[in-house]
Amino acid sequence: MSAQLIDGRGIAGQIRTEVRAEVDRWTAQGHRPPYLAVVLVGDNPASASYVRGKIRASQEAGIMGDTLAFGADVPESELLETVSRLGRDKSVDGILVQLPLPAHIRPDRIIGAVNPDKDVDGLNTINAGRLVTGRAGFLPCTPAGIVELLTRSDIPTCGQHTVILGRSNLVGKPLANLMLRKGLDATVTICHSRTRNLKALARSADIVVAAIGRACFVTEDMVKPGAAVIDVGINRVEDPSRTRGYRLAGDVDFEAVRHKAAHLTPVPGGVGPMTIAMLLKNTLLAAQRHTGL
Ligand code: BQF
């Protein structure tokens, strides 16, 4: 048996086309295009590349955007001031603070200063609370993207045992809450570095979500035959055959698990592109909600 690969790039492309169509409809009604402000701090090349990808995807969807770039030594107070100002700016619909931030900046302070109704990454505590209690807010992009991958691939979630490996505020915790919601109705277990019997728990799952940050963490013996396996990991693995010296790999031992699972997401081209697509969706939603305020 061989897993059906879930084409995240393709599904994300479909969502981006849908967003583009809705943005066109929105602007044809006389509204200005949605506007996304991205705050980038420091000179992490991966962060800069993620931000370029987000801005490019926004433009393709008809969303305007700009990057506010700061040096690695910017004072926290200056970032707080910038984020607060963007929150009051009527021409800005979405605010995204690219993570990670330099060590001297407290991320929860900066994210906490983002206007919750412009928090298109869905990461501040107001939106976390809205998610947990089932009220309208912004869903974090990666968990929202994972749910879209499942539903658009016709993978049922109702009553399905979903084992999430990783308890981060970015993926594990919000995804667990999302999967528990009415309509999705999954049964959720979150595992982490201190979990006993992690292998056995994973093996009992209908859906496994790997968000640990370690290449090849999920091995074949951790997957039930016929399970759906969602790989959130993005790890650099040394590969002398590549010109850049490395390749990207997920948290799943892809070649082994593909013979066991029924559905599997590749890395790259799985969850990653969905994160970007959901950011665009959230930015459009923010713009539409703002006119109702
Ligand atoms: C793909 C991210 C760790 C830390 C900070 C497409 C992205 C990634 C992969 C992307 C990520 C990961 C982003 C692919 C945004 C996802 O084809 O597989 C897109 O741009 N991501 C980020 O902004 O910050 C991160 C991972």
Side-chain angles (χ1 to χ4, degrees), residues 235-249:
N235 306 292
R236 284 186 178 191
V237 176
E238 229 180 286
D239 186 346
S241 76
R242 305 287 175 105
T243 34
R244 54 182 182 181
Y246 68 90
R247 65 185 158 81
L248 292 182

Side-chain angles (χ1 to χ4, degrees), residues 9 50 54 98-100 234 267-270 272-273 275-276:
R9 207 169 273 143
Y50 288 142
K54 291 171 188 182
Q98 180 63 38
L99 300 176
I234 300 181
V267 176
T275 300
I276 309 302

Side-chain angles (χ1 to χ4, degrees), residues 13-288:
Q14 208 175 310
I15 293 170
R16 286 163 61 164
T17 302
E18 290 166 17
V19 170
R20 171 88 226 196
E22 180 59 16
V23 167
D24 288 345
R25 200 191 62 81
W26 179 248
T27 52
Q29 287 179 352
H31 299 283
R32 62 160 176 76
Y35 188 99
L36 174 68
V38 180
V39 175
L40 173 63
V41 187
D43 44 21
N44 180 335
S47 291
S49 142
Y50 288 142
V51 167
R52 281 193 302 275
K54 291 171 188 182
I55 292 288
R56 192 184 334 111
S58 298
Q59 286 167 344
E60 284 171 16
I63 293 170
M64 304 284 120
D66 200 12
T67 305
L68 303 173
F70 295 87
D73 53 1
V74 65
E76 190 181 71
S77 57
E78 190 175 333
L79 285 182
L80 283 172
E81 176 49 42
T82 300
V83 163
S84 309
R85 180 176 51 74
L86 292 168
R88 294 186 300 268
D89 187 335
K90 289 264 184 278
S91 62
V92 172
D93 298 299
I95 303 169
L96 181 154
V97 179
Q98 180 63 38
L99 300 176
L101 291 166
H104 70 284
I105 312 267
R106 289 163 287 184
D108 28 319
R109 288 212 65 201
I110 307 300
I111 292 164
V114 174
N115 180 335
D117 298 317
K118 301 187 181 186
D119 175 29
V120 288
D121 252 351
L123 294 181
N124 80 22
T125 54
I126 299 288
N127 282 308
R130 287 168 172 165
L131 167 58
V132 173
T133 56
R135 294 196 298 268
F138 293 103
L139 299 174
C141 299
T142 301
I146 291 168
V147 165
E148 286 287 330
L149 278 184
L150 294 171
T151 54
R152 291 185 189 234
S153 305
D154 294 316
I155 296 167
T157 57
C158 180
Q160 300 295 293
H161 187 202
T162 302
V163 170
I164 300 169
L165 307 175
R167 56 175 152 179
S168 72
N169 291 330
L170 208 65
V171 181
K173 277 190 270 179
L175 178 64
N177 279 294
L178 191 53
M179 296 288 290
L180 283 171
R181 276 183 158 188
K182 290 241 165 69
L184 289 169
D185 304 300
T187 303
V188 178
T189 301
I190 305 185
C191 297
H192 50 80
S193 52
R194 300 289 173 150
T195 298
R196 282 184 290 122
N197 302 324
L198 184 144
K199 270 180 192 271
L201 285 164
R203 206 164 32 228
S204 79
D206 305 300
I207 301 170
V208 179
V209 180
I212 312 112
R214 270 175 55 188
C216 285
F217 184 89
V218 176
T219 45
E220 189 186 0
D221 57 325
M222 292 165 69
V223 175
K224 175 166 77 178
V229 179
I230 306 295
D231 192 348
V232 187
I234 300 181
N235 306 292
R236 284 186 178 191
V237 176
E238 229 180 286
D239 186 346
S241 76
R242 305 287 175 105
T243 34
R244 54 182 182 181
Y246 68 90
R247 65 185 158 81
L248 292 182
D251 291 348
V252 175
D253 183 350
F254 184 85
E255 286 308 327
V257 168
R258 72 179 302 174
H259 300 294
K260 196 96 175 266
H263 303 272
L264 176 60
T265 63
V267 176
V271 174
M274 293 298 290
T275 300
I276 309 302
M278 301 317 286
L279 170 69
L280 305 180
K281 236 182 146 160
N282 275 350
T283 304
L284 168 61
L285 192 63
Q288 295 183 326

